Amino acid sequence: MPATAAALVLLAQATGTTESAPWWGVPVVAGTFLIIGGVLGHQFNKRQEDRKAERALSERYMDQRLEHCSNLLEEARAVKETLGEAGVWPAEATPSSKVSEKVTVARDLIRGACKRAMSSYSSITLIAPETLRKPARSVVVGMMYARILSTSQQARDTQKSLSAAIQQFEAAGRKHFGAGEQEAPKPVTDEPAEEQGELTRFRRWLAWWNETL
């Protein structure tokens, strides 16, 4: 064997460029990476779909909470206003002074409002957090107590306590739904900031000049 050929054989053996690697190695490696990529892609897509489903479910629950909380507030406000009706209540009735017709109508309205409010409250207890359930419970308790009133003084006291419970529930609802107090919008003007400053100084000078005249 010539020296040049022998040197080439030794170089090929040293660098591994001979036929030590099988011909099917490259396809196998490529197929392996393809399978791994497919599995990872499937897992990624599944996770994205799960997150999307969770967001959709959370938004649906949020809409339902808003609806039931709004209904409960509406019925509670109606009861609060109804308690302000003046008249003779059952415990104050006498042979010469019967229960006022306004009071009779008010008590019927209170019973109907409480029945509807309980339906909304039952849903709130299932899908709302404790931060909403607790103030909602106070509102419902005040409404239920309004069903058994017998004197005008009790009606006034219940109206005050129910009003406080409504305010607490409203505050909890605004916090939960992200509807906090918003700042008043600033006046919009097309004038640049520098021109606005100059205009303000000019107006101040003009006001001072008018005062000195």
Side-chain angles (χ1 to χ4, degrees):
M1 178 182 295
T4 304
L8 291 175
V9 172
L10 292 176
L11 180 60
Q13 292 177 351
T15 57
T17 57
T18 61
E19 296 182 356
S20 58
W23 63 268
W24 43 265
V26 174
V28 169
V29 173
T32 301
F33 279 106
L34 183 62
I35 294 174
I36 294 174
V39 172
L40 293 178
H42 174 72
Q43 293 296 330
F44 177 78
N45 292 334
K46 186 176 183 301
R47 178 173 294 183
Q48 290 295 103
E49 292 295 330
D50 291 343
R51 290 179 178 177
K52 184 178 179 180
E54 290 177 0
R55 286 195 298 269
L57 183 62
S58 177
E59 292 176 357
R60 187 179 70 179
Y61 280 155
M62 187 68 74
D63 293 340
Q64 291 179 353
R65 291 170 196 160
L66 180 59
E67 179 182 0
H68 293 303
C69 288
S70 300
N71 292 340
L72 179 58
L73 279 175
E74 182 179 358
E75 300 298 342
R77 292 192 186 105
V79 171
K80 186 191 72 171
E81 296 299 327
T82 303
L83 290 174
E85 294 291 344
V88 178
W89 288 75
E92 301 168 336
T94 61
S96 60
S97 178
K98 298 182 179 180
V99 177
S100 301
E101 183 178 355
K102 287 184 178 180
V103 173
T104 302
V105 174
R107 297 182 73 185
D108 292 338
L109 292 176
I110 291 173
R111 293 190 185 96
C114 290
K115 184 178 180 180
R116 293 186 295 270
M118 280 303 301
S119 177
S120 297
Y121 176 68
S122 299
S123 299
I124 292 174
T125 58
L126 293 176
I127 61 177
E130 181 63 21
T131 54
L132 283 179
R133 294 198 303 267
K134 186 175 180 180
R137 188 183 307 118
S138 299
V139 171
V140 171
V141 169
M143 295 178 67
M144 291 302 168
Y145 185 72
R147 298 180 59 183
I148 58 175
L149 299 178
S150 57
T151 65
S152 56
Q153 182 62 44
Q154 290 177 351
R156 289 190 293 269
D157 294 341
T158 303
Q159 187 181 36
K160 292 179 181 179
S161 60
L162 182 58
S163 178
I166 290 174
Q167 292 179 1
Q168 293 178 357
F169 187 42
E170 288 176 341
R174 285 193 296 268
K175 183 177 181 180
H176 177 76
F177 296 110
E181 298 295 336
Q182 299 181 356
E183 297 181 357
K186 297 181 179 180
V188 180
T189 176
D190 296 332
E191 300 174 351
E194 296 181 358
E195 295 184 6
Q196 293 182 34
E198 293 292 339
L199 183 60
T200 300
R201 285 193 290 271
F202 174 74
R203 288 172 177 171
R204 290 177 179 174
W205 177 84
L206 184 61
W208 172 81
W209 179 259
N210 291 331
E211 291 177 356
T212 57
L213 293 179

